[in-house]
Amino acid sequence: MEKNLKRFAAIILLMAALFSAACRNLPGTAGPVSGTGSSTAIAKGFGGDVSVTVTVKDGRITDVTALGPQETQGIGSNAIDRLPPAMVAVNSVKVDSVSGATNTSRAILSAASRAYAAATGQPLALANVKMAPGTYTNPVWAFSVNTRMEVAVTVSENRILAIDVKNNDETLPILRSAKELLIPRILEGQSISIDAITGATGSSSGIRSGVALALEQALAAGGSDPSAIENFQVTPAKVTGVTRTLDYDILVIGMGGSGSAAAMSAAETQKAAGRNVSVLAIDKAGKYGGTSSVTSEMMAINPPRFMAAHNNEVAKVQLGVFARPLPDTRRNKSVYVERSVLKQAWLEYTEGDAKEDLLDLMLDHSGETLDWLVNEHGFVFGLPQLGVEPSATYYVVFQYNGSFMDNKHLIIAYFDKLYDDYLKLGGKYMLETEAYELIYDQAGGKVVGAKARSVDGTEYIINAKSVVLATGGFAGNGEMTSTLLSEKYFPLQGTWNQVGMHQNDGKMIQSALNIGAGTYNIGMTPIVHIGGGRQLIHDFETTTVRVNGQDRPYALNDIPMIMAISGNVLSVSKRAERFSDESGLGFLEPWKGGPEFYSIWSQDQIDKVRSKGFDTVTVGAFISQGGVPTGYPISNIDEVINAAIAHGISCKADTLEGLARQLKIDPAKLAATVQKYNGYCNTGVDADFHKAKEFLVPLGSSGPYYAFLGAPYCYSTTGGLDVNTSLQVLRSGSTAPIPGLYASGTDCLGVLLTEKKAYVTYGGLAQGWAFTSGKLAGASAARSAN
Ligand SMILES: Cc1cc2nc3c(=O)[nH]c(=O)nc-3n(C[C@H](O)[C@H](O)[C@H](O)COP(=O)(O)OP(=O)(O)OC[C@H]3O[C@@H](n4cnc5c(N)ncnc54)[C@H](O)[C@@H]3O)c2cc1C
C-alpha cells in the first residue's frame, strides 16, 4: 500500500514537473524537436565553473551530466547530484532549483539550456527581459563566515546600471580587488558569468550572488519569466591564439611577501650595480601581497636599526588572541634575543633536520630585512613580543603597525608603497597572469624563463636569465597534498581545508619537480593554528539567548564544529586511532590527525546536550559564528545533526561498526580504540595522551553513534623545494643548483624545519622567512643575471 502511494506521488510529481515546464514554453520544451547530438556548456557556479553536458536522441534528452569540482560539498553538490536526473526524467532542461543551492542550480540551468540548444541545433531562445527599475539590496554569504555581505544592485528595465558593496566583514585588500576588477566586468559584460577574481574568490562569489539575486527579484517584479536571467549569463569570449614574448633579466613568479621582496631587491641590486632594471613580477591573483597582506606578524632576529631606534625595548603587552601583560624576561637586555640560545633551541626542536646554514641565514638576515622594510619602504611594526605558543619565549615577533587583526588596510598600504618604489626604479609587474610551466633549456641544463597565461586568455613566453619561484606552496592542490605529504609520522595525505589562498596550487613547484628539482621536508605538515568542522554551515539564523542575565550569541551553525573539536569526546584519525588529548583540536594540534578527523558521540551524550547543553564549548578562531553558551539546552539538536548529515559533515549509525564503515575506517581498530578510551575514562587516567580527568567522558555502550567531521584549517604547506644559501633550487639528490632557478618563502620553508613536528612555533616564522628569503633570492638572482 505504502509503495503504491509512493509510486502515485512520484507520477503526480513528474506530471506536475512536465506540466510546469510545458506551461513555461521554454527552451528544452519549446515545440517539437528532432535533434540528435551531445553538447557541453559552462556557467559560473558559486565556487567556479560548472559544466553541463546534454545528450539528445531523436529530440529526447537521454543523458545529462554536470561537473562542478569547486562547488561546496553538501550544498552545491546537491544540485549537481539532483538536477541532471530530474532533467532526463521530465525531458526538459527547465526544472526547479534545489533549495539552498541556488547559485549552483542557476549555473546548471543556464549551462544546460545552452548545451541543449547546441545539441539540438536549435537557436537559444531566451525569454524577454523586463525588469522593474530600482535598487535591490540583498545580504549574501561571501568570504566572512559570520557576517553576510550586502550587495546593492541598481537596474533599469533591461540593464544592470550599478553595483555597490555595503555592510560586510570581508578582508579589506581582498574585497578591494573584487570590487575594483569584478564589478566593472559585470557591468561591461552585463553578465554574472564572469570569472571570480583569483585570490578573491569568496568576495567575488558573494558579489555575483548578490547581483543574481537582485536580477531575479527585478525580473519577477517586472513580470518576466524567471529564465530571463539567462540573458545575464553570457560567458565573455577569451583571447585565443595570441602569444606574446617578453624578455627580462629576472622573472619573479608570485607577488606575496616573498615575491614582492624578491622583485624589489632584484631591482635595487640591478640599480646599485648601475644596470638597467629589467625585472618582471607576475601574480595570478587580482592583487599583489598574497597571503602576506592578510597576516599579522613577522619574525625578525635583532633588527639593528629598529633596536637602536627603540632603545632595545620590547612590547609591554602581548597583542592578539592571548592579550596579556608581558614581563620583560630577557637576561641580556642589549638585544631582543640571544642568537646562540635561539639557534640551539631551534636545532634541538628540529632534531638536526633543519639545514644549519639556512638557519644561520635566517638568524643573520631577518633583522636587516625588517629594517629594510621599515626604513627603505615605509612599513611600520610594533615593538617585538612573544608568539602565542608555549614554546614562544623569544622576542622575535613584530606585529604590523603594533596592532592585531584590524590592520589589513595598513598592510596593503605598505605593499602599495613598496610597489610604488619598485615602479619608480623601473620594475614591472602583471597581475591576473598565471605562470604554468618553467622553460628549461635541456641542452644547457638551465631555466631560461616561464610560460604564463593572462586572465583574458593571452599566452606569454617570458624569457629570463633568472626565475624566482615565490608561489606560496601547494596547499590549494589536493592532488599534490595527497601524494607529496608524508604518512610517516602523521596521516597527512589528503585535501586540506584552508583559510583562504586556494590559488596557491603548487603548479610551479610541480614544474620545478618535473625538471628534476630536489625537495626538502616537502612531506611535512602544513602550517596550522586552528581546527573546526570539515565544512561550515549557514542553515540557521544566529540569535541571542539570555544566560545569567546576559545576552549570549546562539549560533546553531557552529554546533557541528563544536561537536567536532569538543575536548571531552573521543577523536580518531583515518587510522581509527587517537592522535591527541582532544583538548587542542580547536587550536594548535588538529593537524596531527591529518586533513580530516572524526569525533565520536554516543546517543546518551547527544541526549545530554539536548536536555542540559554542552559541558564544554570549543570554537575555531576566525571560523566561529558566535558559538553557543555552555550549559544551555539545545532542544533542536536533532535538527542541527540532520543538517550536518545533509551537508556530509556528520554521520549516524546504530553501531560503532556501522559508523566505521560509513567513515571508511577500520571497524575493528575503532572498536579497540573505543574500548581503550572508555577504560581510561573509567580509571580517570589517560595513559596515552594524559587528558585531564574531567574531560574523560566514556562513550555509551549502546547506539546510535554519531561522528562529526573535524579538520584543521591550514595557512599553507610548509616544506617544498631544496635551496642553498643563495636560494638557488638544487637538483634532486645533489648539492648542485639548477642554474637560473631560485625559490623563496613558503616554496622552500622546509629547509628550516623537520617532518617530525609542526613548524617552529616561536612566532611569525612563515612571514619572516618570506620577506628574508625573498630579499636574498632577488639579490642573488639579479647578481647572477648581471
Ligand atoms: C590567515 C592567515 C594568517 C597568517 N598569519 C601569519 C602570521 O601572523 N605570521 C606568519 O609568519 N605567518 C602567517 N601566515 C602564513 C604566512 O602569511 C605565509 O606563509 C606567507 O605570507 C607566505 O608568503 P609567500 O610569499 O611564500 O606566499 P604568498 O604571500 O601566499 O604569495 C604567493 C603568491 O603567489 C601567487 N601565485 C601562486 N601560484 C602562482 C602562479 N602559478 N603564477 C603566478 N602567481 C602565483 C599567489 O596568487 C600569491 O599572491 C598566515 C597565513 C594566513 C592564511
Side-chain angles (χ1 to χ4, degrees):
M1 174 69 177
E2 198 192 0
K3 216 171 170 185
N4 282 339
L5 270 178
K6 274 193 184 153
R7 192 173 300 153
F8 179 69
I11 291 167
I12 293 289
L13 279 175
L14 191 65
M15 283 172 63
L18 279 167
F19 179 72
S20 83
C23 283
R24 280 189 250 145
N25 195 25
L26 297 166
T29 56
V33 173
S34 58
T36 292
S38 182
S39 188
T40 301
I42 290 173
K44 299 287 165 217
F46 186 74
D49 284 348
V50 173
S51 82
V52 179
T53 303
V54 177
T55 306
V56 181
K57 199 159 177 226
D58 300 328
R60 187 157 184 92
I61 297 175
T62 54
D63 190 33
V64 179
T65 52
L67 291 174
Q70 285 152 285
E71 300 307 280
T72 316
Q73 272 304 312
I75 304 176
S77 61
N78 290 342
I80 289 171
D81 292 344
R82 289 182 212 159
L83 292 186
M87 290 174 178
V88 176
V90 298
N91 189 30
S92 168
V93 289
K94 297 293 158 192
V95 293
D96 289 333
S97 298
V98 170
S99 85
T102 37
N103 291 294
T104 313
S105 298
R106 196 183 290 121
I108 295 174
L109 293 173
S110 167
S113 275
R114 285 163 215 282
Y116 178 83
T120 56
Q122 284 200 321
L124 182 67
L126 294 175
N128 286 338
V129 170
K130 185 163 185 299
M131 295 190 281
T135 298
Y136 298 80
T137 305
N138 289 287
V140 290
W141 288 112
F143 179 72
S144 166
V145 290
N146 42 25
T147 309
R148 284 185 174 95
M149 174 203 268
E150 249 178 41
V151 184
V153 182
T154 306
V155 299
S156 67
E157 225 171 65
N158 56 7
R159 289 185 69 75
I160 313 167
L161 298 178
I163 302 164
D164 195 8
V165 175
K166 304 212 167 230
N167 279 348
N168 70 84
D169 198 14
E170 304 294 281
T171 308
L172 200 98
I174 293 178
L175 177 63
R176 183 174 97 175
S177 82
K179 277 170 74 174
E180 286 176 1
L181 296 168
L182 184 71
I183 292 178
R185 285 176 199 168
I186 295 177
L187 292 174
E188 193 192 324
Q190 289 292 304
S191 173
I192 49 173
S193 267
I194 305 286
D195 283 333
I197 305 304
T198 303
T201 322
S203 301
S204 301
S205 303
I207 293 173
R208 275 196 319 228
S209 307
V211 177
L213 267 175
L215 291 174
E216 281 170 358
Q217 290 158 354
L219 288 165
S224 299
D225 187 279
S227 73
I229 188 139
E230 286 171 21
N231 291 278
F232 298 99
Q233 286 175 304
V234 180
T235 306
K238 296 227 175 199
V239 173
T240 51
V242 175
T243 302
R244 299 218 156 91
T245 302
L246 306 175
D247 295 297
Y248 281 89
D249 285 350
I250 300 129
L251 169 65
V252 177
I253 301 175
M255 295 166 67
S258 64
S260 301
M264 188 73 230
S265 85
E268 286 175 344
T269 305
Q270 288 203 308
K271 188 87 184 168
R275 292 177 56 91
N276 280 340
V277 171
S278 172
V279 186
L280 175 69
I282 62 172
D283 201 297
K284 67 197 282 195
K287 63 178 252 302
Y288 42 68
T291 322
S292 311
S293 63
V294 297
T295 55
S296 327
E297 62 199 24
M298 79 172 271
M299 172 187 282
I301 318 301
N302 297 332
R305 286 188 276 170
F306 187 98
M307 253 186 339
H310 294 89
N311 242 349
N312 298 355
E313 273 177 37
V314 296
K316 297 203 165 40
V317 178
Q318 177 82 21
L319 294 172
V321 252
F322 297 107
R324 62 179 189 277
L326 268 186
D328 183 353
T329 51
R330 287 175 297 165
R331 281 186 311 183
N332 174 358
K333 295 205 172 23
S334 70
V335 286
Y336 287 152
V337 55
E338 285 175 69
R339 184 193 185 283
S340 57
V341 175
L342 177 59
K343 179 175 174 182
Q344 186 60 30
W346 197 309
L347 290 175
E348 275 169 21
Y349 177 83
T350 53
E351 301 185 28
D353 290 346
K355 290 178 98 168
E356 191 172 345
D357 52 353
L358 270 297
L359 175 55
D360 283 333
L361 206 72
M362 175 70 191
L363 298 174
D364 292 339
H365 293 275
S366 54
E368 75 190 29
T369 301
L370 183 134
D371 277 346
W372 173 72
L373 291 171
V374 170
N375 296 290
E376 267 74 68
H377 300 297
F379 281 52
V380 179
F381 291 97
L383 294 174
Q385 59 171 68
L386 309 181
V388 295
E389 304 196 32
S391 59
T393 49
Y394 307 101
Y395 288 94
V396 294
V397 180
F398 294 76
Q399 302 275 358
Y400 284 106
N401 195 48
S403 60
F404 182 78
M405 290 307 277
D406 56 348
N407 52 11
K408 309 298 173 228
H409 58 297
L410 297 169
I411 303 175
I412 196 62
Y414 304 154
F415 276 91
D416 289 343
K417 162 86 170 66
L418 188 83
Y419 277 100
D420 270 358
D421 296 348
Y422 171 73
L423 293 177
K424 277 185 199 139
L425 279 187
K428 300 273 184 290
Y429 70 78
M430 300 195 309
L431 296 172
E432 298 193 285
T433 305
E434 179 183 30
Y436 60 88
E437 194 183 333
L438 290 166
I439 305 173
Y440 186 57
D441 167 7
Q442 199 81 35
K446 60 183 180 188
V447 168
V448 292
K451 295 181 188 170
R453 188 174 297 123
S454 148
V455 73
D456 70 2
T458 308
E459 292 284 336
Y460 287 95
I461 303 286
I462 307 171
N463 299 314
K465 295 173 189 160
S466 304
V467 175
V468 182
L469 298 185
T471 63
F474 56 93
N477 187 325
E479 264 175 47
M480 286 177 80
T481 51
S482 298
T483 49
L484 293 175
L485 296 189
S486 163
E487 292 275 308
K488 187 168 174 190
Y489 301 103
F490 304 94
L492 301 181
Q493 292 187 345
T495 300
W496 288 65
N497 274 7
Q498 281 177 272
V499 195
M501 298 307 144
H502 298 267
Q503 83 263 23
N504 291 352
D505 63 6
K507 224 172 248 125
M508 296 311 289
I509 295 178
Q510 186 60 57
S511 183
L513 298 181
N514 294 346
I515 61 163
T519 62
Y520 205 88
N521 285 331
I522 198 165
M524 73 175 288
T525 180
I527 301 180
V528 170
H529 276 156
I530 59 169
R534 182 50 142 153
Q535 185 199 304
L536 308 174
I537 67 171
H538 288 120
D539 293 32
F540 304 92
E541 287 301 325
T542 297
T543 55
T544 51
V545 289
R546 195 120 186 108
V547 179
N548 298 333
Q550 284 187 331
D551 282 341
R552 301 283 309 276
Y554 187 66
L556 292 175
N557 292 324
D558 280 342
I559 287 185
M561 159 172 54
I562 291 166
M563 298 181 82
I565 58 175
S566 179
N568 59 358
V569 295
L570 163 72
S571 284
V572 297
S573 69
K574 65 183 178 192
R575 295 175 180 165
E577 290 165 355
R578 286 178 79 206
F579 53 91
S580 81
D581 79 354
E582 286 101 3
S583 65
L585 295 182
F587 192 60
L588 302 183
E589 294 227 313
W591 63 272
K592 291 183 176 168
E596 184 169 287
F597 53 84
Y598 314 108
S599 293
I600 316 290
W601 291 67
S602 50
Q603 185 64 48
D604 57 331
Q605 293 172 328
I606 302 281
D607 292 341
K608 188 171 168 214
V609 171
R610 187 185 302 101
S611 60
K612 297 201 166 94
F614 290 102
D615 289 337
T616 171
V617 166
T618 315
V619 292
F622 317 132
I623 53 171
S624 154
Q625 293 168 50
V628 296
T630 49
Y632 189 88
I634 312 288
S635 55
N636 49 352
I637 184 72
D638 294 322
E639 206 185 314
V640 180
I641 293 175
N642 286 341
I645 291 173
H647 284 290
I649 52 169
S650 175
C651 54
K652 174 183 177 183
D654 288 338
T655 61
L656 278 171
E657 189 183 341
L659 198 71
R661 291 199 193 290
Q662 286 193 44
L663 294 170
K664 299 194 176 61
I665 61 176
D666 185 338
K669 259 191 172 174
L670 179 64
T673 302
V674 170
Q675 194 183 19
K676 200 173 180 194
Y677 180 76
N678 277 356
Y680 294 159
C681 296
N682 294 335
T683 59
V685 180
D686 173 4
D688 292 329
F689 295 99
H690 316 291
K691 180 152 85 169
K693 198 173 169 190
E694 64 269 28
F695 291 114
L696 285 167
V697 182
L699 276 165
S701 55
S702 58
Y705 294 95
Y706 302 76
F708 290 84
L709 274 56
Y713 283 64
C714 79
Y715 296 154
S716 68
T717 45
T718 321
L721 299 169
D722 192 6
V723 290
N724 62 16
T725 50
S726 298
L727 281 308
Q728 289 174 294
V729 176
L730 304 182
R731 289 193 194 280
S732 176
S734 159
T735 52
I738 301 176
L741 187 61
Y742 299 77
S744 64
T746 315
D747 286 353
C748 62
L749 178 56
V751 291
L752 301 179
L753 301 166
T754 173
E755 270 194 11
K756 300 177 191 120
K757 295 184 183 147
Y759 77 123
V760 297
T761 49
Y762 311 127
L765 170 65
Q767 189 81 211
W769 177 246
F771 284 122
T772 306
S773 62
K775 180 170 181 282
L776 295 170
S780 297
R783 277 195 297 273
S784 79
N786 278 347

